[in-house]
Each structure stands twice: as C-alpha cells, then as structure tokens.
Amino acid sequence: MKVLVIILLLIILFIYHNININIKKENFINNNSIYNIIKKQKINKNKYNENKIYNDYKNCKNCSLVLYQIKNNNLDIKDKKNINQRIHNKRIDYITSLIKETLKKYKIGDMIFIVSLRDNLPNLKISYLGPVYEENKNSLAIPSNWWSYFTKPNNRLFSPSRFDQIINEYKNKNTNQKKDNRIVFRGTNNCELRRKVRKLSKLTPKLVDVELPIGKSDKNYIPNDNLISNYQYYFVLRGRGKWTGSINQFSLANGTLFKVEEISKQPIELLLEPDIDYVSINNNLSNFREKINLVTNKKLMQQMKNNLEKNQIFSLHLIIL
C-alpha cells in the first residue's frame, strides 16, 4: 500500500481565512484529497475575531478546551479548562507537537484558536478544532487520537521519522497469507451496539467472528496485531464513545472494512466513500445481513481493498489554508 505521510490540521480554514499564511501548495502531494476533506466539513464561515474566540472559550461551561496562540511563528498554550489528566494530556501533547512540527516548515500568521478534547463536541458559535466532525457542529476534525496508534509508549509526541517507522511496522504485519475469511471484531463489552452486532453474528458464524472478551485472559481475546495478521475483513465498530480509533489500524491492514456508520467522522473517514472504499452498514443495523453477505463476493472485496489502499492517506504536514 502506498501510504502518504501527511498529518491533518486542515484547518482553521474558515476562522482564519483572512490570516496571511506562507504555504507553497505545490509541495503537497494529492492536494485534492486534502481539499475534499475540508469541503465535506460544513461549518460556520467566520472572519477571524479574537474577541469572539475568547468569549466562546470563556462562556463554554463543562467543556474540555485548550486555547492556543501562535505568535511570531511560535506556539503557546494560553489557557486550558476541565482537563482529564489521564486522557486529555496525551491529546494535548500530541496536538501541540503536531502544530510545532508544522511551524518548523511554514510561517503562519499570529492567531489564537480553540481545540476541543472531548469526544462529545461543544456547541461553540465559532469554528474550532476537535477529534471529529459532526453535522450542525462547528468542529473541524484533527487526528488527536493518533498518539494511541502512531507513537511509542515511552514518547507520545509526533515525530516524522517515528511516524514513518510505525506505518511501515503496520504494513510489514500485513501478509498475503491470511487464513480466516470471516469478518472479525474484538472489543470490550461496553455498549449496546456491540452486543447487537455480536447477537446478529451468531446467525451467520461462517461469515462473521465477533466476540467481546473480558480482559486479555479471556479465551476469545485476540490482540490487534494477530487480527491484522490472520484476518482480512474487519468490522469498524465504536464502543462507548461516538467513534473508534481502530479504523486507523485496520485501514492499513491490507483488507476490507465493514463500517457501522456514525454521525461523527474522523479525518480518515472523511477521505473514504461508503460502499466504494468500504462496506457501509446502517447505524441501526437494518442492512446488516445484506452487507455481511457481500464478504462472499471476492471480486468486490478485492476491489474495495484496492480502493482503500488508493484513497487512504496519512500525512506529515498540518495544512492550514
């Protein structure tokens, strides 16, 4: 698979479209993919107004937010609020390192902007950066959860060389000798949607292998590395939250995705087209049986796998237009 190492900041597109930013667009490979991601995110188009940004930040109650400032091409955190130390600090560190990497390459005008850290998006009037995009929200999606998939445990910061290395490690696990042709899922038993999928899967055990193990000692537990090595069809299925980061791994797994749709879209999901790049399953599972039967159509599965490899892009540069 050809993987383009780009990291998406995309972003501040609508808030800061009047800020002078020195970017040579011809430096980017496959720009159309980047612009398509931006185009799919329908948010309020605002002119840059520092007072409005401050007011939205201050007035947002029970929101987990970071207020960033870029000044003289240096990045600072001006303030942060309602931070969950166990979860949010890793996201803050990763996002900060992403932006700092961008500032090494491009000169960006002075500005302040907001990053939301929770999976549940706040209702801000101005545009801001968040982990996902949702219709009728003003969040532009950035890969704030990539620290969990594309960094090493002893260093959760973004590094271009380390990012390349981990992408290659994922690719090297993807052999062409995968033995199991069922659609696989392993995850914790933490939401009703997963339990419904498991129940439905028992009706077609020759096509689907879904279990919800309780911890690593459970006989049904399979590490993701083994799933990637031994299977070629993968369910993308959220847990308690509104989205699942495992799509980042499985999109690199030399296989085909069966994705249960959600209203929340991560950057990678905005790149992909349903039933072209992956098999799309309704959120209420009304077409579950119809869609899983497609796994027997090997020609279609190969075509979707090829489409996913072609269109799935990871990127090294934060893009602020």
Side-chain angles (χ1 to χ4, degrees):
M1 181 192 301
K2 181 180 179 182
V3 178
L4 186 64
V5 201
I6 307 176
I7 286 189
L8 311 171
L9 176 49
L10 295 180
I11 293 207
I12 315 183
L13 168 70
F14 295 107
I15 313 176
Y16 306 127
H17 67 279
N18 64 328
I19 298 282
N20 180 30
I21 298 172
N22 182 19
I23 292 180
K24 293 183 178 179
K25 295 182 182 177
E26 65 270 17
N27 288 345
F28 296 110
I29 302 173
N30 202 351
N31 284 342
N32 287 338
S33 296
I34 304 303
Y35 300 145
N36 285 340
I37 294 176
I38 295 172
K39 188 177 179 182
K40 287 181 179 179
Q41 301 186 74
K42 309 295 184 183
I43 65 167
N44 288 344
K45 192 170 184 179
N46 310 116
K47 285 193 174 183
Y48 179 75
N49 186 310
E50 203 164 285
N51 289 332
K52 286 183 178 180
I53 296 170
Y54 273 122
N55 287 337
D56 256 20
Y57 177 84
K58 181 177 66 175
N59 295 329
C60 190
K61 307 300 182 185
N62 300 316
C63 302
S64 297
L65 305 176
V66 180
L67 184 65
Y68 280 98
Q69 180 182 48
I70 296 175
K71 188 171 184 179
N72 298 324
N73 221 48
N74 292 308
L75 182 72
D76 290 306
I77 294 176
K78 288 185 69 67
D79 196 26
K80 49 189 175 182
K81 59 196 291 187
N82 301 321
I83 302 302
N84 180 318
Q85 299 295 326
R86 185 176 64 86
I87 300 172
H88 294 155
N89 278 342
K90 294 172 183 176
R91 292 187 178 184
I92 292 171
D93 290 345
Y94 190 72
I95 293 165
T96 301
S97 63
L98 277 175
I99 301 171
K100 285 185 174 180
E101 186 65 31
T102 301
L103 294 174
K104 292 178 184 178
K105 300 176 182 296
Y106 305 108
K107 183 170 177 56
I108 298 174
D110 293 354
M111 65 176 78
I112 61 170
F113 58 94
I114 295 171
V115 174
S116 178
L117 300 170
R118 288 183 186 172
D119 294 351
N120 290 324
L121 300 174
N123 292 311
L124 299 182
K125 295 177 183 177
I126 56 94
S127 304
Y128 59 94
L129 310 184
V132 290
Y133 164 75
E134 285 182 19
E135 232 178 294
N136 300 319
K137 300 280 188 177
N138 280 324
S139 171
L140 287 155
I142 59 172
S144 57
N145 69 331
W146 278 12
W147 67 266
S148 184
Y149 303 97
F150 303 118
T151 64
K152 296 294 186 183
N154 61 344
N155 186 345
R156 293 304 192 182
L157 304 181
F158 172 72
S159 160
S161 59
R162 190 179 300 114
F163 190 83
D164 282 337
Q165 177 189 349
I166 295 171
I167 291 290
N168 286 327
E169 287 174 6
Y170 279 126
K171 290 170 64 179
N172 291 337
K173 294 169 187 170
N174 302 335
T175 68
N176 292 319
Q177 300 175 354
K178 300 185 179 186
K179 302 171 185 176
D180 204 311
N181 287 321
R182 293 175 296 172
I183 313 164
V184 67
F185 181 79
R186 291 294 187 275
T188 53
N189 187 354
N190 62 6
C191 75
E192 188 59 27
L193 180 63
R194 289 184 175 184
R195 290 187 281 273
K196 287 180 179 178
V197 170
R198 180 178 61 179
K199 184 177 180 179
L200 289 170
S201 73
K202 301 306 179 185
L203 302 176
T204 54
K206 292 184 178 180
L207 301 181
V208 182
D209 177 12
V210 174
E211 297 292 348
L212 306 176
I214 303 172
K216 295 183 179 181
S217 60
D218 191 303
K219 66 177 183 180
N220 291 312
Y221 173 76
I222 305 175
N224 269 3
D225 285 357
N226 291 358
L227 290 182
I228 289 172
S229 298
N230 296 322
Y231 292 79
Q232 57 183 328
Y233 307 121
Y234 313 96
F235 275 118
V236 175
L237 181 61
R238 69 162 175 84
R240 279 191 301 245
K242 293 175 150 185
W243 46 281
T244 174
S246 60
I247 189 174
N248 295 300
Q249 290 173 299
F250 293 139
S251 63
L252 290 165
N254 192 30
T256 305
L257 306 182
F258 287 70
K259 180 178 177 297
V260 178
E261 298 291 2
E262 298 292 339
I263 60 171
S264 301
K265 305 293 182 185
Q266 300 170 74
I268 184 175
E269 294 174 270
L270 294 164
L271 274 171
L272 306 179
E273 295 296 332
D275 292 323
I276 296 175
D277 301 319
Y278 64 91
V279 178
S280 174
I281 300 173
N282 294 341
N283 182 261
N284 62 6
L285 306 179
S286 59
N287 62 348
F288 183 84
R289 186 69 177 267
E290 171 196 345
K291 289 305 181 79
I292 65 169
N293 281 331
L294 295 177
V295 77
T296 61
N297 185 335
K298 301 307 178 187
K299 183 177 180 180
L300 177 62
M301 294 297 96
Q302 182 64 41
Q303 183 60 58
M304 285 192 175
K305 181 175 83 74
N306 293 343
N307 291 343
L308 180 63
E309 290 176 353
K310 177 182 176 182
N311 293 325
Q312 190 276 303
I313 296 174
F314 287 100
S315 148
L316 270 186
H317 304 291
L318 298 175
I319 299 170
I320 304 178
L321 300 177

